[in-house]
Amino acid sequence: QVQLVESGGGVVQAGGSLRLSCAVSGRHFSTYEMGWYRRAPGKDREFVAHIGWEGRNIHYTDSVKGRFTISRDNNKNMVYLQMDSLKLEDTGTYYCNAEVPKLGSDQDRGDYWGQGTQVTVSS
């Protein structure tokens, strides 16, 4: 089973920065399509950022473009989200997501989520 553990959340003032980390299990991490999502209080979960195989196909939701940077280290099975110029509306629980493709009998297809890490941006 693929497991994901987020860390790095906390309280930061508006305009500040925070770096989230996601530790991922699995033998074929480089094949996983990775993403970050968030859920603000009282709202639905929304897409934030995506990074594909070998660090390709990076894209972001419009509200974070130019402020957030997603990256991955396939040697360490880690995904990161660098968040700069944080705004009050960035507050929420941030979740790491893995889309795992099937690799014959060596790997089953699946969609996996971490438990989330809380980010609070204060005025």
Side-chain angles (χ1 to χ4, degrees):
Q1 286 288 101
V2 176
Q3 294 183 333
L4 302 87
V5 180
E6 303 97 335
S7 62
V11 180
V12 63
Q13 288 190 314
S17 297
L18 209 58
R19 189 193 192 210
L20 306 183
S21 298
C22 176
V24 187
S25 69
R27 294 177 57 190
H28 304 288
F29 172 72
S30 64
T31 72
Y32 304 170
E33 298 283 330
M34 301 299 304
W36 287 96
Y37 292 73
R38 67 187 180 190
R39 187 190 300 275
K43 297 183 178 180
D44 293 333
R45 184 169 60 191
E46 66 171 343
F47 167 77
V48 176
H50 170 273
I51 187 167
W53 301 359
E54 306 293 339
R56 299 182 177 93
N57 301 313
I58 295 174
H59 57 272
Y60 304 90
T61 191
D62 287 344
S63 64
V64 308
K65 288 180 179 177
R67 300 190 297 118
F68 290 10
T69 303
I70 189 171
S71 62
R72 68 192 295 166
D73 186 337
N74 288 340
N75 292 323
K76 298 181 182 292
N77 280 30
M78 295 289 292
V79 181
Y80 306 98
L81 185 67
Q82 178 67 43
M83 304 184 293
D84 298 321
S85 302
L86 283 162
K87 304 175 180 179
L88 266 60
E89 53 263 40
D90 294 320
T91 292
T93 303
Y94 283 70
Y95 300 91
C96 186
N97 169 255
E99 297 177 16
V100 178
K102 183 174 175 60
L103 297 176
S105 61
D106 197 44
Q107 181 174 280
D108 291 330
R109 182 184 179 186
D111 189 30
Y112 300 88
W113 296 90
Q115 291 295 110
T117 186
Q118 179 65 37
V119 172
T120 302
V121 183
S122 63
S123 61

